[in-house]
Amino acid sequence: MNGLIDGRIRIACAAWLATVAAAGALLPLIDGSDWMVQAAVLLAAQTGVGTVLRWRGLHPAVTVGAQAAASLMLLTLVTAPTYAVGGALPTPTTFERFGLLLRQGAEDIGRYVAPAPATDGIRLMVFGGVLLIGLLVDVLAVTTRSAASAGLPLLALYSVAAGVAQDGPGWPYFLLAAAGYLLLLLAEGRDRLTRWGRFFAGHGPGHGMTPHDHTVTAGPRARAGRRIGAVTLGIAVLAPAGLPSFGEGLLDLDGSGGNGRGGTGDVVSVNPIVALQDQLNQQQDRPVLTYRTTSGEQSDMYLRLIALDQFTGQEWRSSRWYESERPNPPWQVPGLSDEVAATPVTTTVQVADYYAQDSLPVPYPATSVTVEGNWLFDRGTQTLVSNQNGRTSAGASYEIEHLLVEPTADQLAAAPPASRELVDYYTRVPDDLPEQVALTALDVTSGAANDFERAMALQDWFTQDGGFRYDTTVASGSGTQAIVNFLQQKEGFCVHFAFTMAAMARTLGIPTQVAVGFTPGTRQPGGAYEVGVHNAHAWPELYFQGVGWVRFEPTPGQGNAPSYTRPEQTRPSEERPEEETEQTTPAQPEPSQQPSPTDPCQRDADAAGCQDRQETPESDRREAGMPLAPIIWGGGGLLLALLVASPPLWRARVRARRLGRDGGALPAWRELLDSAWDFGITPLASETPRQAAARIVRVAELPAEPAAAVHRAADVVERALYAPATVSAAPAPALADDVRGALAGLRATAGRWTRVRAFFAPRSAIRVMRAMAAWRADAGRRVGAALPGRPRGATKPPTAYRRSVHAAPRAGWHRPPLGASRRCS
């Protein structure tokens, strides 16, 4: 009976782990990881309820019903506690709240793309779905004992992630889910093996099947099953990479995917780093698009493809701030006030048929884009992007309504501080950014009175005063080391200038991002403008409150300098008398990774421009509190380190205790046997100490001195077993020295891999598993006997079974030949 209960507990735990592993495939779909931890805890509570009720012997239907009721209460507790009695007992109002959250969740799913923020509606849908799948897996695997069928709901859970994610959940998530399912199958298989009947080999008549006996019996089958599972997983992961397909396989090692792009001579995309350089170095300037515009300032018609707002230290990249539905026109322009001149402009664009791009090039700031097809809205770049259905910009024709924003130098110089949230996000730099970058920025901007003057100082340094040279043959790169190399060599192309100025501006506390796209192009007969591959460009954009994102041009000889940065513009500092300038120039600020300027919105929430706080890609994300990813990874690393270090520490502790002053002959002999076991020489219960010593010496091919030490130890243990009065002739220190000498001989004759395995994964550690199994069985009997309503002795096997297993009479105590601990047979 105890074995049956233990088997169900193992299967229930395996079912919980398999469900959590399959739910892990949802991580790429939802922002953050706290929801995953909560889902795992909810599943554990659901599994625990079922385990306890099965232990009490309740009917399976009652158990499943209780699990469903407990799941509903848990779901209420985490999603709608204020609408329930006691925070957990649902009422009709609770179900009304559930309906509202489900509708909101459906709207959020339609609005956001992966990874979507973990809103209340999405959390309810995820928690409810995971609990439902977990309950089905538990019922199939534990109640009906059909672990193979439990793979269907697990597959359904994984298929949700595979079908919704734009690039699929990735092969690590597949591997994790498949490993969880195989673990469930192995747990059920082991449970089936333990119910096959008596075990006759081993310890003589009259003994039931111990946990160790189960392990020995099922060992070959379990190992074969694990091998089959490992081979199957390997084939499932690697086979799609070698098979022809119409899109990305499960394993996309090079990240290229299967977009169908490419081909000799085709313009495929403008990658922020490598592809942009390749296009600039093409000998032929192939046109990629033409446009007509009503703008009176054609030199400002920069066409944005993407805005890079994250600097990881390895690259600049976009946060992919995508929304499924386009906002109603006119689109809101972040940070722009009515005091800045902004002229409405209409531009029509015709893209070449061979130009396949994920996003539509548009002037900034766009207020609407009219184009056929289903496109996503990129709020960060203020354009439309592909929804991964095979649609690209190739051959697209669209109309753009945008603004020609013309701030003055005075307005930029007098711009108030931006919100603290925006500043914190757009001034982040990696921890490993060399100090040289910040120090250079401070030196270049020395004497500047405001952010605009600092930006101008940086731009002038790159274009005029710093001695930089434009060269498209320089190796590209966007990491911290590439920035340092560029500052030292002073050679590069637009990527180097834009990324370096952006990093330096961020160290000064100025919100900055990098835009990638095209310069305005050349005018054609008839009034249209043509943009070619040589117009591919990258430039920094700095944020000024009241104006928004402002373009600067640090690349010498490329693009067009904005009107507010041209030399004929009067600088604010030039209008003040020299004495006043010297008195009002503040001390140069220290570089900071997270500057915290005064936020007027914190003082007055009703101030102009403070109502809309969705200014960064993180603004509409749910507040997650303390980040869980470092805790999870740090805890996992610590747990892994403890697992690796536990066997060597345990063996060292046991060896010191056995070979200590009060260890005795039998513990020292057991240490010698375990040491030989660690090096691959398995102890046999049928051998005497003398036979065991001879086999250890022969198999390990020990030299003369270690071999003599093994035989001396065998003589001592034989006298301790059969002539205790003579043991005093061999003192304990001498026996301990013999065992240490034998251990040194085993280590010297073993191969390198054998020594490593003996140290980190000693075979004798199986004794710990046996002890834990015995302790668990004994604890189960004690707890079962202590439960109210269970008659004493109810956990024992039936009388007929006990008589069949223990039919042999007890023979009393005897001395085992090997010298192991005395036991009753």
Side-chain angles (χ1 to χ4, degrees), residues 585-629:
T585 300
Q588 190 66 24
E590 294 293 333
S592 172
Q593 295 184 7
Q594 292 186 348
S596 56
T598 304
D599 186 358
C601 295
Q602 293 183 347
R603 299 193 306 266
D604 185 6
D606 297 329
C610 296
Q611 297 298 326
D612 181 17
R613 299 306 301 271
Q614 295 185 1
E615 298 177 356
T616 71
E618 293 184 347
S619 299
D620 59 352
R621 297 294 195 250
R622 183 182 182 90
E623 293 294 337
M626 182 179 295
L628 292 177

mmCIF file of all heavy atoms in Angstrom, residues 585-629:
data_model
loop_
_atom_site.group_PDB
_atom_site.id
_atom_site.type_symbol
_atom_site.label_atom_id
_atom_site.label_comp_id
_atom_site.label_asym_id
_atom_site.label_seq_id
_atom_site.Cartn_x
_atom_site.Cartn_y
_atom_site.Cartn_z
ATOM 1 N N THR A 585 27.426 80.084 -15.896
ATOM 2 C CA THR A 585 27.785 78.756 -16.378
ATOM 3 C C THR A 585 27.939 77.810 -15.193
ATOM 4 O O THR A 585 28.786 78.015 -14.339
ATOM 5 C CB THR A 585 29.099 78.809 -17.166
ATOM 6 O OG1 THR A 585 28.929 79.693 -18.272
ATOM 7 C CG2 THR A 585 29.486 77.422 -17.664
ATOM 8 N N PRO A 586 27.132 76.777 -15.103
ATOM 9 C CA PRO A 586 27.210 75.879 -13.955
ATOM 10 C C PRO A 586 28.384 74.925 -14.090
ATOM 11 O O PRO A 586 29.004 74.804 -15.142
ATOM 12 C CB PRO A 586 25.877 75.116 -14.027
ATOM 13 C CG PRO A 586 25.545 75.094 -15.490
ATOM 14 C CD PRO A 586 26.075 76.381 -16.050
ATOM 15 N N ALA A 587 28.683 74.295 -12.985
ATOM 16 C CA ALA A 587 29.739 73.287 -12.991
ATOM 17 C C ALA A 587 29.325 72.126 -13.886
ATOM 18 O O ALA A 587 28.152 71.776 -13.976
ATOM 19 C CB ALA A 587 30.006 72.788 -11.562
ATOM 20 N N GLN A 588 30.300 71.512 -14.515
ATOM 21 C CA GLN A 588 30.014 70.415 -15.445
ATOM 22 C C GLN A 588 29.470 69.215 -14.676
ATOM 23 O O GLN A 588 30.032 68.817 -13.657
ATOM 24 C CB GLN A 588 31.301 70.017 -16.181
ATOM 25 C CG GLN A 588 31.068 69.064 -17.335
ATOM 26 C CD GLN A 588 30.270 69.722 -18.440
ATOM 27 O OE1 GLN A 588 30.262 70.937 -18.565
ATOM 28 N NE2 GLN A 588 29.561 68.932 -19.200
ATOM 29 N N PRO A 589 28.368 68.610 -15.133
ATOM 30 C CA PRO A 589 27.810 67.486 -14.396
ATOM 31 C C PRO A 589 28.671 66.240 -14.534
ATOM 32 O O PRO A 589 29.357 66.054 -15.527
ATOM 33 C CB PRO A 589 26.443 67.273 -15.082
ATOM 34 C CG PRO A 589 26.641 67.785 -16.464
ATOM 35 C CD PRO A 589 27.581 68.943 -16.333
ATOM 36 N N GLU A 590 28.620 65.427 -13.510
ATOM 37 C CA GLU A 590 29.315 64.153 -13.547
ATOM 38 C C GLU A 590 28.507 63.167 -14.370
ATOM 39 O O GLU A 590 27.287 63.192 -14.371
ATOM 40 C CB GLU A 590 29.483 63.601 -12.118
ATOM 41 C CG GLU A 590 30.390 64.431 -11.256
ATOM 42 C CD GLU A 590 31.831 64.383 -11.754
ATOM 43 O OE1 GLU A 590 32.202 63.379 -12.382
ATOM 44 O OE2 GLU A 590 32.567 65.350 -11.527
ATOM 45 N N PRO A 591 29.170 62.266 -15.099
ATOM 46 C CA PRO A 591 28.422 61.274 -15.878
ATOM 47 C C PRO A 591 27.687 60.327 -14.959
ATOM 48 O O PRO A 591 28.170 59.965 -13.898
ATOM 49 C CB PRO A 591 29.535 60.544 -16.660
ATOM 50 C CG PRO A 591 30.780 60.769 -15.854
ATOM 51 C CD PRO A 591 30.614 62.117 -15.216
ATOM 52 N N SER A 592 26.521 59.934 -15.382
ATOM 53 C CA SER A 592 25.692 59.040 -14.556
ATOM 54 C C SER A 592 24.918 58.120 -15.462
ATOM 55 O O SER A 592 24.456 58.507 -16.525
ATOM 56 C CB SER A 592 24.726 59.835 -13.682
ATOM 57 O OG SER A 592 23.825 58.981 -13.027
ATOM 58 N N GLN A 593 24.757 56.891 -15.052
ATOM 59 C CA GLN A 593 23.987 55.934 -15.834
ATOM 60 C C GLN A 593 22.502 56.129 -15.637
ATOM 61 O O GLN A 593 21.710 55.774 -16.491
ATOM 62 C CB GLN A 593 24.363 54.504 -15.435
ATOM 63 C CG GLN A 593 25.802 54.156 -15.776
ATOM 64 C CD GLN A 593 26.099 52.721 -15.454
ATOM 65 O OE1 GLN A 593 25.214 51.957 -15.098
ATOM 66 N NE2 GLN A 593 27.350 52.323 -15.587
ATOM 67 N N GLN A 594 22.086 56.681 -14.541
ATOM 68 C CA GLN A 594 20.675 56.901 -14.266
ATOM 69 C C GLN A 594 20.483 58.295 -13.689
ATOM 70 O O GLN A 594 20.317 58.464 -12.474
ATOM 71 C CB GLN A 594 20.135 55.839 -13.298
ATOM 72 C CG GLN A 594 20.081 54.454 -13.915
ATOM 73 C CD GLN A 594 19.423 53.465 -12.995
ATOM 74 O OE1 GLN A 594 19.201 53.737 -11.812
ATOM 75 N NE2 GLN A 594 19.097 52.307 -13.500
ATOM 76 N N PRO A 595 20.543 59.328 -14.543
ATOM 77 C CA PRO A 595 20.348 60.683 -14.035
ATOM 78 C C PRO A 595 18.935 60.866 -13.561
ATOM 79 O O PRO A 595 18.014 60.208 -14.018
ATOM 80 C CB PRO A 595 20.649 61.556 -15.266
ATOM 81 C CG PRO A 595 20.371 60.667 -16.426
ATOM 82 C CD PRO A 595 20.730 59.295 -15.989
ATOM 83 N N SER A 596 18.767 61.775 -12.638
ATOM 84 C CA SER A 596 17.440 62.000 -12.072
ATOM 85 C C SER A 596 17.149 63.485 -12.006
ATOM 86 O O SER A 596 17.215 64.099 -10.949
ATOM 87 C CB SER A 596 17.351 61.385 -10.668
ATOM 88 O OG SER A 596 18.380 61.913 -9.860
ATOM 89 N N PRO A 597 16.880 64.125 -13.167
ATOM 90 C CA PRO A 597 16.556 65.547 -13.147
ATOM 91 C C PRO A 597 15.207 65.775 -12.507
ATOM 92 O O PRO A 597 14.400 64.859 -12.340
ATOM 93 C CB PRO A 597 16.522 65.917 -14.640
ATOM 94 C CG PRO A 597 16.166 64.645 -15.322
ATOM 95 C CD PRO A 597 16.790 63.563 -14.511
ATOM 96 N N THR A 598 14.981 67.014 -12.159
ATOM 97 C CA THR A 598 13.706 67.362 -11.543
ATOM 98 C C THR A 598 12.571 67.119 -12.524
ATOM 99 O O THR A 598 12.611 67.548 -13.668
ATOM 100 C CB THR A 598 13.706 68.831 -11.125
ATOM 101 O OG1 THR A 598 14.813 69.054 -10.256
ATOM 102 C CG2 THR A 598 12.408 69.193 -10.428
ATOM 103 N N ASP A 599 11.553 66.433 -12.088
ATOM 104 C CA ASP A 599 10.413 66.101 -12.937
ATOM 105 C C ASP A 599 9.251 66.992 -12.538
ATOM 106 O O ASP A 599 8.688 66.837 -11.459
ATOM 107 C CB ASP A 599 10.043 64.622 -12.752
ATOM 108 C CG ASP A 599 8.955 64.196 -13.715
ATOM 109 O OD1 ASP A 599 8.480 65.050 -14.473
ATOM 110 O OD2 ASP A 599 8.582 63.012 -13.691
ATOM 111 N N PRO A 600 8.865 67.970 -13.388
ATOM 112 C CA PRO A 600 7.754 68.843 -13.012
ATOM 113 C C PRO A 600 6.453 68.087 -12.848
ATOM 114 O O PRO A 600 5.571 68.532 -12.124
ATOM 115 C CB PRO A 600 7.689 69.834 -14.183
ATOM 116 C CG PRO A 600 8.360 69.141 -15.322
ATOM 117 C CD PRO A 600 9.409 68.282 -14.707
ATOM 118 N N CYS A 601 6.339 66.939 -13.511
ATOM 119 C CA CYS A 601 5.095 66.172 -13.389
ATOM 120 C C CYS A 601 4.950 65.562 -12.003
ATOM 121 O O CYS A 601 3.844 65.244 -11.572
ATOM 122 C CB CYS A 601 5.039 65.077 -14.453
ATOM 123 S SG CYS A 601 4.943 65.716 -16.137
ATOM 124 N N GLN A 602 6.057 65.380 -11.288
ATOM 125 C CA GLN A 602 5.951 64.855 -9.941
ATOM 126 C C GLN A 602 5.461 65.922 -8.970
ATOM 127 O O GLN A 602 4.878 65.620 -7.940
ATOM 128 C CB GLN A 602 7.304 64.314 -9.497
ATOM 129 C CG GLN A 602 7.733 63.075 -10.283
ATOM 130 C CD GLN A 602 9.038 62.539 -9.772
ATOM 131 O OE1 GLN A 602 9.732 63.205 -9.004
ATOM 132 N NE2 GLN A 602 9.386 61.345 -10.187
ATOM 133 N N ARG A 603 5.738 67.214 -9.309
ATOM 134 C CA ARG A 603 5.258 68.284 -8.445
ATOM 135 C C ARG A 603 3.807 68.648 -8.763
ATOM 136 O O ARG A 603 3.031 68.977 -7.881
ATOM 137 C CB ARG A 603 6.156 69.512 -8.623
ATOM 138 C CG ARG A 603 7.597 69.279 -8.254
ATOM 139 C CD ARG A 603 8.317 70.611 -8.159
ATOM 140 N NE ARG A 603 8.176 71.394 -9.363
ATOM 141 C CZ ARG A 603 9.053 71.395 -10.348
ATOM 142 N NH1 ARG A 603 10.111 70.608 -10.264
ATOM 143 N NH2 ARG A 603 8.874 72.150 -11.412
ATOM 144 N N ASP A 604 3.461 68.607 -10.044
ATOM 145 C CA ASP A 604 2.115 69.007 -10.459
ATOM 146 C C ASP A 604 1.609 68.010 -11.479
ATOM 147 O O ASP A 604 1.991 68.025 -12.637
ATOM 148 C CB ASP A 604 2.150 70.419 -11.072
ATOM 149 C CG ASP A 604 0.741 70.924 -11.414
ATOM 150 O OD1 ASP A 604 -0.230 70.235 -11.069
ATOM 151 O OD2 ASP A 604 0.645 72.008 -12.023
ATOM 152 N N ALA A 605 0.782 67.083 -11.048
ATOM 153 C CA ALA A 605 0.278 66.029 -11.935
ATOM 154 C C ALA A 605 -0.649 66.569 -12.988
ATOM 155 O O ALA A 605 -0.900 65.916 -14.012
ATOM 156 C CB ALA A 605 -0.440 64.945 -11.110
ATOM 157 N N ASP A 606 -1.197 67.767 -12.799
ATOM 158 C CA ASP A 606 -2.127 68.347 -13.767
ATOM 159 C C ASP A 606 -1.439 69.279 -14.754
ATOM 160 O O ASP A 606 -2.101 69.933 -15.564
ATOM 161 C CB ASP A 606 -3.242 69.116 -13.041
ATOM 162 C CG ASP A 606 -4.076 68.191 -12.161
ATOM 163 O OD1 ASP A 606 -4.210 67.013 -12.537
ATOM 164 O OD2 ASP A 606 -4.575 68.651 -11.119
ATOM 165 N N ALA A 607 -0.121 69.370 -14.673
ATOM 166 C CA ALA A 607 0.584 70.273 -15.586
ATOM 167 C C ALA A 607 0.443 69.798 -17.019
ATOM 168 O O ALA A 607 0.167 68.632 -17.286
ATOM 169 C CB ALA A 607 2.063 70.363 -15.199
ATOM 170 N N ALA A 608 0.660 70.742 -17.948
ATOM 171 C CA ALA A 608 0.513 70.422 -19.363
ATOM 172 C C ALA A 608 1.536 69.363 -19.763
ATOM 173 O O ALA A 608 2.702 69.439 -19.403
ATOM 174 C CB ALA A 608 0.700 71.682 -20.201
ATOM 175 N N GLY A 609 1.072 68.422 -20.535
ATOM 176 C CA GLY A 609 1.947 67.368 -21.017
ATOM 177 C C GLY A 609 2.190 66.245 -20.039
ATOM 178 O O GLY A 609 2.934 65.324 -20.336
ATOM 179 N N CYS A 610 1.581 66.319 -18.830
ATOM 180 C CA CYS A 610 1.809 65.287 -17.829
ATOM 181 C C CYS A 610 0.705 64.247 -17.782
ATOM 182 O O CYS A 610 0.774 63.318 -16.988
ATOM 183 C CB CYS A 610 1.977 65.907 -16.431
ATOM 184 S SG CYS A 610 3.429 66.970 -16.304
ATOM 185 N N GLN A 611 -0.327 64.418 -18.585
ATOM 186 C CA GLN A 611 -1.426 63.462 -18.540
ATOM 187 C C GLN A 611 -1.034 62.152 -19.217
ATOM 188 O O GLN A 611 -1.405 61.084 -18.776
ATOM 189 C CB GLN A 611 -2.669 64.066 -19.230
ATOM 190 C CG GLN A 611 -3.195 65.306 -18.536
ATOM 191 C CD GLN A 611 -3.660 65.023 -17.124
ATOM 192 O OE1 GLN A 611 -4.174 63.949 -16.838
ATOM 193 N NE2 GLN A 611 -3.459 65.973 -16.223
ATOM 194 N N ASP A 612 -0.295 62.253 -20.311
ATOM 195 C CA ASP A 612 0.083 61.057 -21.039
ATOM 196 C C ASP A 612 1.487 60.647 -20.617
ATOM 197 O O ASP A 612 2.465 61.268 -20.984
ATOM 198 C CB ASP A 612 0.035 61.329 -22.543
ATOM 199 C CG ASP A 612 0.395 60.107 -23.353
ATOM 200 O OD1 ASP A 612 0.368 59.004 -22.777
ATOM 201 O OD2 ASP A 612 0.706 60.257 -24.549
ATOM 202 N N ARG A 613 1.600 59.597 -19.836
ATOM 203 C CA ARG A 613 2.896 59.165 -19.348
ATOM 204 C C ARG A 613 3.428 57.962 -20.113
ATOM 205 O O ARG A 613 4.418 57.382 -19.716
ATOM 206 C CB ARG A 613 2.794 58.816 -17.855
ATOM 207 C CG ARG A 613 2.376 59.976 -16.982
ATOM 208 C CD ARG A 613 3.287 61.181 -17.207
ATOM 209 N NE ARG A 613 4.667 60.860 -16.922
ATOM 210 C CZ ARG A 613 5.235 60.976 -15.731
ATOM 211 N NH1 ARG A 613 4.537 61.441 -14.717
ATOM 212 N NH2 ARG A 613 6.488 60.659 -15.547
ATOM 213 N N GLN A 614 2.777 57.565 -21.212
ATOM 214 C CA GLN A 614 3.254 56.434 -22.000
ATOM 215 C C GLN A 614 4.306 56.922 -22.982
ATOM 216 O O GLN A 614 4.093 57.015 -24.183
ATOM 217 C CB GLN A 614 2.100 55.755 -22.733
ATOM 218 C CG GLN A 614 1.109 55.113 -21.795
ATOM 219 C CD GLN A 614 0.041 54.349 -22.532
ATOM 220 O OE1 GLN A 614 0.048 54.284 -23.743
ATOM 221 N NE2 GLN A 614 -0.873 53.769 -21.803
ATOM 222 N N GLU A 615 5.478 57.277 -22.446
ATOM 223 C CA GLU A 615 6.529 57.860 -23.269
ATOM 224 C C GLU A 615 7.653 56.886 -23.562
ATOM 225 O O GLU A 615 8.515 57.168 -24.377
ATOM 226 C CB GLU A 615 7.109 59.091 -22.574
ATOM 227 C CG GLU A 615 6.087 60.200 -22.349
ATOM 228 C CD GLU A 615 6.672 61.363 -21.597
ATOM 229 O OE1 GLU A 615 7.845 61.262 -21.187
ATOM 230 O OE2 GLU A 615 5.985 62.374 -21.431
ATOM 231 N N THR A 616 7.698 55.749 -22.914
ATOM 232 C CA THR A 616 8.752 54.769 -23.147
ATOM 233 C C THR A 616 8.120 53.407 -23.365
ATOM 234 O O THR A 616 6.969 53.179 -22.988
ATOM 235 C CB THR A 616 9.700 54.685 -21.936
ATOM 236 O OG1 THR A 616 9.023 54.050 -20.850
ATOM 237 C CG2 THR A 616 10.159 56.064 -21.510
ATOM 238 N N PRO A 617 8.857 52.481 -23.973
ATOM 239 C CA PRO A 617 8.301 51.133 -24.158
ATOM 240 C C PRO A 617 7.964 50.429 -22.863
ATOM 241 O O PRO A 617 7.224 49.459 -22.862
ATOM 242 C CB PRO A 617 9.428 50.399 -24.907
ATOM 243 C CG PRO A 617 10.198 51.477 -25.577
ATOM 244 C CD PRO A 617 10.129 52.654 -24.645
ATOM 245 N N GLU A 618 8.495 50.910 -21.731
ATOM 246 C CA GLU A 618 8.209 50.262 -20.449
ATOM 247 C C GLU A 618 7.008 50.868 -19.751
ATOM 248 O O GLU A 618 6.561 50.345 -18.740
ATOM 249 C CB GLU A 618 9.430 50.371 -19.530
ATOM 250 C CG GLU A 618 10.629 49.569 -20.004
ATOM 251 C CD GLU A 618 11.766 49.640 -19.029
ATOM 252 O OE1 GLU A 618 11.705 50.496 -18.137
ATOM 253 O OE2 GLU A 618 12.708 48.849 -19.154
ATOM 254 N N SER A 619 6.472 51.966 -20.267
ATOM 255 C CA SER A 619 5.451 52.695 -19.536
ATOM 256 C C SER A 619 4.167 51.900 -19.380
ATOM 257 O O SER A 619 3.493 51.997 -18.356
ATOM 258 C CB SER A 619 5.152 54.023 -20.244
ATOM 259 O OG SER A 619 6.308 54.822 -20.282
ATOM 260 N N ASP A 620 3.798 51.117 -20.417
ATOM 261 C CA ASP A 620 2.545 50.381 -20.332
ATOM 262 C C ASP A 620 2.763 48.946 -19.896
ATOM 263 O O ASP A 620 1.896 48.112 -20.035
ATOM 264 C CB ASP A 620 1.813 50.402 -21.682
ATOM 265 C CG ASP A 620 2.649 49.803 -22.790
ATOM 266 O OD1 ASP A 620 3.834 49.523 -22.540
ATOM 267 O OD2 ASP A 620 2.099 49.604 -23.882
ATOM 268 N N ARG A 621 3.959 48.642 -19.418
ATOM 269 C CA ARG A 621 4.205 47.325 -18.865
ATOM 270 C C ARG A 621 3.776 47.311 -17.407
ATOM 271 O O ARG A 621 3.901 48.291 -16.695
ATOM 272 C CB ARG A 621 5.685 46.948 -18.968
ATOM 273 C CG ARG A 621 6.183 46.851 -20.407
ATOM 274 C CD ARG A 621 5.495 45.701 -21.114
ATOM 275 N NE ARG A 621 6.191 45.361 -22.346
ATOM 276 C CZ ARG A 621 5.723 45.572 -23.551
ATOM 277 N NH1 ARG A 621 4.557 46.172 -23.697
ATOM 278 N NH2 ARG A 621 6.395 45.189 -24.621
ATOM 279 N N ARG A 622 3.312 46.159 -16.940
ATOM 280 C CA ARG A 622 2.862 46.025 -15.557
ATOM 281 C C ARG A 622 4.064 46.123 -14.629
ATOM 282 O O ARG A 622 5.121 45.588 -14.896
ATOM 283 C CB ARG A 622 2.181 44.670 -15.371
ATOM 284 C CG ARG A 622 1.601 44.463 -13.983
ATOM 285 C CD ARG A 622 0.998 43.068 -13.891
ATOM 286 N NE ARG A 622 0.407 42.853 -12.601
ATOM 287 C CZ ARG A 622 -0.844 43.129 -12.293
ATOM 288 N NH1 ARG A 622 -1.617 43.652 -13.213
ATOM 289 N NH2 ARG A 622 -1.332 42.912 -11.097
ATOM 290 N N GLU A 623 3.904 46.859 -13.537
ATOM 291 C CA GLU A 623 4.994 46.981 -12.579
ATOM 292 C C GLU A 623 5.278 45.619 -11.970
ATOM 293 O O GLU A 623 4.414 44.973 -11.394
ATOM 294 C CB GLU A 623 4.600 47.967 -11.456
ATOM 295 C CG GLU A 623 4.460 49.398 -11.938
ATOM 296 C CD GLU A 623 5.772 49.987 -12.395
ATOM 297 O OE1 GLU A 623 6.808 49.484 -11.953
ATOM 298 O OE2 GLU A 623 5.758 50.921 -13.203
ATOM 299 N N ALA A 624 6.501 45.182 -12.107
ATOM 300 C CA ALA A 624 6.850 43.843 -11.672
ATOM 301 C C ALA A 624 7.560 43.822 -10.325
ATOM 302 O O ALA A 624 7.841 42.764 -9.799
ATOM 303 C CB ALA A 624 7.769 43.179 -12.709
ATOM 304 N N GLY A 625 7.850 44.979 -9.733
ATOM 305 C CA GLY A 625 8.543 45.007 -8.452
ATOM 306 C C GLY A 625 9.984 44.546 -8.630
ATOM 307 O O GLY A 625 10.656 44.882 -9.587
ATOM 308 N N MET A 626 10.452 43.767 -7.680
ATOM 309 C CA MET A 626 11.821 43.276 -7.751
ATOM 310 C C MET A 626 11.968 42.341 -8.940
ATOM 311 O O MET A 626 11.164 41.435 -9.119
ATOM 312 C CB MET A 626 12.167 42.520 -6.452
ATOM 313 C CG MET A 626 13.606 42.023 -6.430
ATOM 314 S SD MET A 626 13.974 41.184 -4.883
ATOM 315 C CE MET A 626 13.806 42.547 -3.743
ATOM 316 N N PRO A 627 12.977 42.540 -9.801
ATOM 317 C CA PRO A 627 13.138 41.662 -10.962
ATOM 318 C C PRO A 627 13.420 40.231 -10.521
ATOM 319 O O PRO A 627 14.284 39.975 -9.693
ATOM 320 C CB PRO A 627 14.344 42.273 -11.691
ATOM 321 C CG PRO A 627 15.060 43.075 -10.657
ATOM 322 C CD PRO A 627 14.011 43.569 -9.707
ATOM 323 N N LEU A 628 12.649 39.301 -11.107
ATOM 324 C CA LEU A 628 12.779 37.911 -10.707
ATOM 325 C C LEU A 628 13.840 37.168 -11.503
ATOM 326 O O LEU A 628 14.346 36.147 -11.042
ATOM 327 C CB LEU A 628 11.427 37.200 -10.885
ATOM 328 C CG LEU A 628 10.316 37.656 -9.946
ATOM 329 C CD1 LEU A 628 9.031 36.926 -10.284
ATOM 330 C CD2 LEU A 628 10.689 37.405 -8.499
ATOM 331 N N ALA A 629 14.158 37.651 -12.691
ATOM 332 C CA ALA A 629 15.118 36.920 -13.515
ATOM 333 C C ALA A 629 16.465 36.758 -12.820
ATOM 334 O O ALA A 629 17.006 35.648 -12.767
ATOM 335 C CB ALA A 629 15.274 37.605 -14.864
#
